[in-house]
């Protein structure tokens, strides 16, 4: 945990009690942006820009009571995405208590002028019963000077028996949007996807951009390292940059399914969109001693670049 500067009078990294007394960490940048991470699930539940605007969606009915996972923010799906395997849906990492990692191995990226926290998860005896593998999962959550939010996951196989293990993974990010019907996603055009609403059948995306007028649950394959979410009403564009995560899951439950999800408000679907950096189609296999790294960086930028014109290509091409 470190930072080059303190955000006003408040510490750049603060550990305090959150909802229902659960411990959380607050990261603050000197310009006013912030992030909150619960040790329960290593779960990012808040990411605010320098104006204090919340950029992540958390359900109005979210339950902050273990062993229930928290609905919204950035749940970590590990070692299994969804119900694609024998474990509970989305695996167990999101409903375990993580620890602050006092001595993480060095990261290759510079941490100068950044505020961050390192968390670690190791399996318990109980975990071995449901997934019999020894691992170390390290997560660094970083708040950059421009208010960008980076999550870097490192999973290492520490099995002593010489056995490899395989897993699937996703950052199940819930973005806050003004109105789902006014949102479009750029960067996934013409790609193949698996449609979870049609038994994971494979299709090819048509059209210029993805827009929303009904339930969507798709796994896009071989996706670019950069994806943009354009919120027309807020004139805001989220940019997702990812590394080591070839897939992108796009999900919105729409009205009927939202009503069937107990910890989601009936109207919540209008104000959320999940675009998830993931490794789902092909599982990751690690031999003992091997490490996998998966990184996601989120930024939020004004959509108007010249005289109020929306120019998503500038965002996608990084100009």
């Amino acid at each position: 945990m470190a930072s080059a500067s303190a955000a006003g009078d408040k510490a750049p990294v603060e550990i305090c009690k959150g909802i229902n007394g659960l411990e959380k960490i607050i990261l603050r940048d000197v310009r006013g942006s912030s992030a909150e991470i619960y040790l329960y699930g290593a779960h990012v539940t808040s990411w605010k820009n320098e104006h204090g605007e919340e950029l992540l969606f958390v359900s109005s009915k979210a339950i902050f009571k273990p062993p229930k996972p928290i609905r919204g923010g950035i749940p970590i799906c590990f070692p299994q995405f969804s119900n694609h395997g024998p474990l509970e849906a989305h695996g167990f990492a999101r409903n375990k208590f993580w620890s602050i990692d006092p001595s993480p191995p060095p990261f290759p990226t510079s941490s100068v002028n950044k505020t961050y926290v390192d968390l670690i998860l190791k399996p318990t005896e109980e975990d071995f019963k449901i997934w019999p593998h020894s691992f170390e999962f390290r997560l660094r959550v970083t708040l950059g000077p421009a208010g960008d939010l980076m999550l870097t996951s490192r999973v290492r196989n520490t099995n002593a028996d010489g056995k490899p293990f395989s897993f699937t993974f996703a950052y199940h990010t819930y973005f806050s949007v003004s109105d789902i019907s006014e949102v479009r996603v750029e960067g996934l055009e013409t790609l193949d996807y698996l449609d979870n609403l049609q038994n994971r059948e494979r299709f090819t995306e048509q059209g210029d951009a993805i827009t929303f007028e009904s339930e969507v649950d798709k796994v896009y394959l071989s996706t670019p390292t950069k994806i943009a979410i354009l919120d027309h009403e807020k004139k805001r564009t989220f940019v997702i940059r990812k590394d080591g995560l070839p897939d992108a899951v796009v999900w919105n439950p729409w009205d009927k399914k939202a009503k069937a999800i107990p910890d989601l408000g009936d109207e919540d679907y209008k104000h959320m969109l999940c675009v998830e950096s993931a490794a789902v189609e092909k599982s990751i296999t690690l031999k003992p001693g091997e490490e996998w790294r998966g990184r996601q960086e989120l930024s939020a930028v004004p959509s108007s670049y010249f005289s109020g014109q929306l120019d998503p290509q500038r965002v996608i091409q990084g100009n």
Side-chain angles (χ1 to χ4, degrees):
M1 288 191 295
S3 176
S5 58
D9 298 332
K10 294 184 174 173
V13 181
E14 180 188 351
I15 302 168
C16 58
K17 296 273 192 233
I19 295 169
N20 291 333
L22 294 172
E23 268 195 306
K24 69 178 181 181
I25 296 130
I26 304 174
L27 305 179
R28 296 185 182 91
D29 178 69
V30 66
R31 294 192 183 117
S33 58
S34 66
E36 297 189 4
I37 309 100
Y38 276 75
L39 287 181
Y40 178 59
H43 198 130
V44 178
T45 55
S46 174
W47 169 42
K48 290 180 181 173
N49 63 16
E50 68 273 22
H51 308 298
E53 296 168 322
E54 181 57 66
L55 303 172
L56 296 177
F57 166 88
V58 172
S59 167
S60 57
K61 291 183 172 178
I63 299 162
F64 286 75
K65 280 188 183 162
K68 276 287 207 189
I70 299 164
R71 171 74 64 186
I74 310 180
I76 289 173
C77 305
F78 171 88
Q80 176 186 298
F81 176 75
S82 185
N83 54 3
H84 306 167
L87 303 179
E88 63 185 302
H90 290 326
F92 51 71
R94 64 181 184 155
N95 49 22
K96 296 289 175 193
F97 283 95
W98 293 52
S99 307
I100 291 174
D101 189 356
S103 53
F107 272 71
T109 52
S110 162
S111 54
V112 177
N113 294 331
K114 293 175 181 172
T115 308
Y116 59 91
V117 65
D118 289 292
L119 302 178
I120 187 166
L121 179 69
K122 294 181 184 180
T124 62
E125 300 266 321
E126 287 300 305
D127 299 334
F128 271 115
K129 290 176 188 166
I130 56 169
W131 201 63
H133 303 292
S134 184
F135 67 89
E136 288 178 354
F137 188 146
R138 287 184 160 87
L139 174 72
R140 174 172 287 189
V141 182
T142 305
L143 190 63
D148 47 323
L149 181 69
M150 190 190 298
L151 283 79
T152 306
S153 287
R154 300 192 293 181
V155 177
R156 181 178 290 277
N157 180 340
T158 55
N159 275 338
D161 59 8
K163 286 184 181 165
F165 63 66
S166 299
F167 63 92
T168 48
F169 177 92
Y171 293 116
H172 197 313
T173 310
Y174 288 74
F175 292 94
S176 173
V177 298
S178 50
D179 178 352
I180 187 63
S181 59
E182 296 283 325
V183 168
R184 69 182 198 264
V185 176
E186 306 248 346
L188 302 175
E189 307 80 33
T190 73
L191 297 182
D192 283 4
Y193 65 86
L194 307 176
D195 193 337
N196 288 323
L197 302 179
Q198 300 192 52
N199 295 317
R200 302 187 74 208
E201 199 178 327
R202 192 175 183 127
F203 298 93
T204 302
E205 185 60 55
Q206 309 295 324
D208 295 337
I210 299 163
T211 54
F212 301 90
E213 48 201 30
S214 60
E215 183 185 354
V216 175
D217 190 354
K218 297 175 178 177
V219 179
Y220 289 85
L221 310 172
S222 303
T223 58
T225 55
K226 198 183 287 188
I227 300 167
I229 303 167
L230 291 85
D231 187 333
H232 192 65
E233 204 171 296
K234 279 210 172 101
K235 296 184 171 55
R236 174 189 292 147
T237 297
F238 290 109
V239 184
I240 304 166
R241 294 175 179 85
K242 59 191 181 62
D243 197 39
L245 297 160
D247 306 322
V249 183
V250 178
W251 180 64
N252 183 289
W254 221 252
D255 54 350
K256 283 199 181 73
K257 186 138 315 161
K259 287 187 171 72
I261 298 173
D263 58 349
L264 192 67
D266 288 356
E267 301 293 308
D268 278 355
Y269 76 93
K270 294 177 181 174
H271 307 296
M272 58 159 274
L273 175 63
C274 290
V275 178
E276 311 167 30
S277 304
V280 173
E281 188 203 17
K282 297 184 179 82
S283 58
I284 295 146
T285 300
L286 294 178
K287 295 182 185 131
E290 284 187 334
E291 184 179 83
W292 168 84
R293 180 177 290 135
R295 186 176 66 89
Q296 157 175 289
E297 185 174 356
L298 308 177
S299 49
V301 296
S303 296
S304 47
Y305 286 101
F306 335 98
S307 63
Q309 292 300 305
L310 208 60
D311 189 358
Q313 284 315 111
R314 282 188 52 137
V315 172
I316 294 291
Q317 290 158 4
N319 297 334

